[in-house]
Amino acid sequence: MNKLKKIKDFNSAAEHYDQDAVMQSIIAEELIERLNYIKINPNRILDIGSATGKNSILLEKIFPDAEIYELDFSLDMLKVSMNKRTSFKKIFSSKKRYFVNADMDQLPFHDNTFDLIISSNSIQWSENVNLLFKNINNLLTIDGLFLFSSFLKNTLIELQQFKVNELTQNFLTIQEYAEILNNNNFYDPVLIRDEYQNQYDDALSALRDLKKIGVTKSEDSHKSLRGKNYLLKLIDHLDQFKKNNKNILSYEVILGHAWKIRNAEEHVIRLMK
């Protein structure tokens, strides 16, 4: 994946991202809703891949006294989030929000900084998920919580079956996420798999939607849709998956959370149960 190209894609999508990324918003809301049933009262929260700040708005309602750090590699996404706050709130609000333009693979924080780290629909852009989870664990305080969602192996299965899967990311399985959590000293993981489908009037609308929200690969070698003949073949391929005369794009999603381990002995005991 060409990250510079991906950043450019998300910068271009920033202004209309809230209107276009409907499914991502639904997933994020379901993820954050889980915090209503988890006993935690964080002082400092990090949102990795915060996009236009919708997560922070929800988190503020649950944890009104917490500091919230929004981190995204797209500066334009962060600008949209910053501009959502009215002048009144900017002047009089006691809520502390910080905006960090950085890559999740190079998190610019000290260890033991955050009580809660959340990432919704962003982990798939990491170049090394195992290292990312290790760094997240280091950033968490003792008994800190990691809450995340991400796309799984069968996401965009309709596109994966076209031309040796040259259009989609290499998504992980839920079993691989469980193993990565275990290898990086997280305990009591709760992992839920869910499925979503978006329907479109035609295949071209589906492809345009993907481009708007930046779900597919970003490679300089994959120039747009490679010309008219390539596009026509891709449309014919997607039409094979129609349901009720609607084009379909499928998403397999993991919703998960796990705690930072206190010590190695506790980790061993919990794994043996």
Side-chain angles (χ1 to χ4, degrees):
M1 180 181 67
N2 185 329
K3 277 206 175 182
L4 291 178
K5 177 66 166 57
K6 179 55 63 179
I7 292 170
K8 183 178 179 181
D9 289 345
F10 277 109
N11 280 339
S12 298
E15 185 176 351
H16 303 288
Y17 188 78
D18 285 346
Q19 298 95 299
D20 296 328
V22 177
M23 183 195 63
Q24 282 82 347
S25 179
I26 292 172
I27 295 170
E29 289 175 5
E30 291 184 5
L31 183 68
I32 293 175
E33 185 180 359
R34 299 177 71 178
L35 289 169
N36 292 312
Y37 309 99
I38 298 174
K39 188 176 181 180
I40 186 173
N41 186 27
N43 294 316
R44 193 174 289 121
I45 302 170
L46 172 63
D47 181 7
I48 297 176
S50 58
T52 57
K54 294 189 75 172
N55 292 352
S56 292
I57 294 172
L58 297 173
L59 289 166
E60 280 184 339
K61 294 178 180 178
I62 302 173
F63 308 114
D65 298 322
E67 295 180 359
I68 300 176
Y69 291 72
E70 296 181 31
L71 181 144
D72 203 283
F73 64 2
S74 167
L75 182 58
D76 286 354
M77 288 283 190
L78 292 173
K79 287 179 178 178
V80 171
S81 180
M82 294 172 69
N83 290 334
K84 284 181 179 179
R85 308 188 77 191
T86 65
S87 297
F88 178 85
K89 287 184 178 179
K90 288 179 181 179
I91 297 173
F92 296 104
S93 177
S94 61
K95 297 170 184 173
K96 298 179 181 178
R97 285 174 64 183
Y98 303 91
F99 303 88
V100 184
N101 183 213
D103 188 340
M104 70 176 72
D105 289 324
Q106 301 179 41
L107 294 169
F109 304 104
H110 295 296
D111 291 352
N112 305 306
T113 297
F114 299 99
D115 308 300
L116 169 62
I117 295 179
I118 182 171
S119 182
S120 184
N121 307 311
S122 298
I123 291 171
Q124 65 271 8
W125 307 128
S126 172
E127 294 179 337
N128 188 331
V129 176
N130 187 72
L131 181 58
L132 172 62
F133 278 38
K134 177 182 178 181
N135 291 335
I136 287 172
N137 189 278
N138 290 336
L139 292 182
L140 284 169
T141 57
I142 296 299
D143 291 330
L145 180 68
F146 177 35
L147 181 71
F148 68 96
S149 67
S150 188
F151 297 120
L152 291 174
K153 192 71 174 179
N154 289 325
T155 291
L156 299 177
I157 192 68
E158 299 85 1
L159 286 177
Q160 290 187 38
Q161 297 179 21
F162 180 74
K163 296 282 187 179
V164 199
N165 188 20
E166 60 183 6
L167 295 171
T168 68
Q169 294 294 114
N170 294 319
F171 303 112
L172 301 178
T173 65
I174 193 169
Q175 291 81 7
E176 287 173 315
Y177 275 109
E179 183 178 351
I180 291 171
L181 286 167
N182 181 61
N183 290 341
N184 288 287
N185 295 325
F186 287 96
Y187 75 99
D188 278 0
V190 177
L191 305 178
I192 299 173
R193 189 186 73 86
D194 208 345
E195 296 180 350
Y196 301 81
Q197 282 192 340
N198 281 352
Q199 295 186 350
Y200 302 90
D201 291 332
D202 54 74
L204 191 57
S205 296
L207 294 170
R208 286 171 175 163
D209 190 48
L210 289 178
K211 185 176 181 181
K212 289 178 182 178
I213 61 178
V215 172
T216 53
K217 282 184 180 179
S218 287
E219 301 289 357
D220 289 335
S221 59
H222 299 159
K223 297 294 184 180
S224 185
L225 292 175
R226 295 174 179 257
K228 185 176 180 179
N229 289 335
Y230 184 89
L231 176 59
L232 291 175
K233 290 180 180 179
L234 180 54
I235 289 174
D236 286 342
H237 172 78
L238 290 177
D239 283 346
Q240 299 176 38
F241 299 90
K242 277 188 173 183
K243 294 181 181 179
N244 299 321
N245 205 34
K246 295 283 187 178
N247 282 94
I248 300 295
L249 289 178
S250 303
Y251 296 84
E252 185 186 24
V253 177
I254 182 175
L255 301 174
H257 72 261
W259 301 86
K260 179 170 181 172
I261 189 173
R262 288 192 175 191
N263 54 61
E265 181 180 358
E266 181 177 6
H267 187 45
V268 172
I269 293 172
R270 289 183 178 274
L271 284 178
M272 291 175 63
K273 288 183 178 180

